[in-house]
Amino acid sequence: MDGLQLLAKIREQEYDVDVIIVSAANDKDKIKAALRLGAFDYIIKPFEFERFNLALNNYKSRYNLVEEQSILKQDELDKTIIHQDTDVEVTLPKGLDKNTLNTVWSEIIKIDGMFTTEEISAKVGISRVSIRKYLEFLKSLKLLSLDLHRGSVGRPVYKYKCIDKNANIIDLYIQ
């Protein structure tokens, strides 16, 4: 039985448990099905520890709110359920700076289409080696994709593309 079948069985048996799905399945139908079956969160493999930690902290916040209070206020509920990630503190990988990340991200979202490390490096004004660290971090957050383009001669060119310009996860790192 796969994870969705197990979750359906849990709901069918009316077990009083919460579920965070961790799966390599990334198609929208499976994700929608898991969320409809009441999964608290859905994490796609491979994932970074920060994303898993975020899910656990969000769950802990909601659990504590609901378990510790007999009467809830709308603003408390909204803060915990709608804006789950606002109170979770995340840290950038060593060597990355939030102001520089903000500058890099601001430049990236202005670009339509693909760009190279050299292009974004020139716009931001930091070295290609440094900019590559920021691009790899954004790629790990699933905000950028990376494609290899081979010309007729010379070295291959790596081109990045922004996948989601409106992603909220970046706010955790730049605010």
Side-chain angles (χ1 to χ4, degrees), residues 74-85:
Q74 187 67 54
D75 62 333
E76 293 170 334
L77 195 58
D78 289 348
K79 181 180 173 191
T80 304
I81 293 180
I82 296 174
H83 306 289
Q84 296 174 22
D85 56 4

Side-chain angles (χ1 to χ4, degrees), residues 82-165:
I82 296 174
H83 306 289
Q84 296 174 22
D85 56 4
T86 57
D87 291 330
V88 177
E89 188 175 324
V90 295
T91 57
L92 285 171
K94 186 177 178 180
L96 298 187
D97 172 73
K98 78 174 187 173
N99 293 326
T100 305
L101 178 62
N102 191 18
T103 303
V104 170
W105 182 246
S106 296
E107 289 299 326
I108 288 171
I109 61 176
K110 292 177 190 174
I111 299 171
D112 288 325
M114 304 189 100
F115 59 91
T116 64
T117 304
E118 291 76 18
E119 291 167 343
I120 199 73
S121 174
K123 288 179 185 273
V124 175
I126 62 175
S127 73
R128 290 187 321 235
V129 172
S130 294
I131 204 73
R132 197 169 290 122
K133 293 176 189 174
Y134 288 92
L135 297 176
E136 284 304 309
F137 174 68
L138 292 168
K139 190 171 127 285
S140 76
L141 294 177
K142 308 279 190 253
L143 296 174
L144 299 179
S145 65
L146 176 63
D147 291 321
L148 175 67
H149 292 267
R150 297 190 184 273
S152 57
V153 288
R155 291 188 196 147
V157 176
Y158 292 97
K159 291 196 173 187
Y160 292 87
K161 183 175 183 176
C162 186
I163 298 171
D164 186 359
K165 292 182 180 187

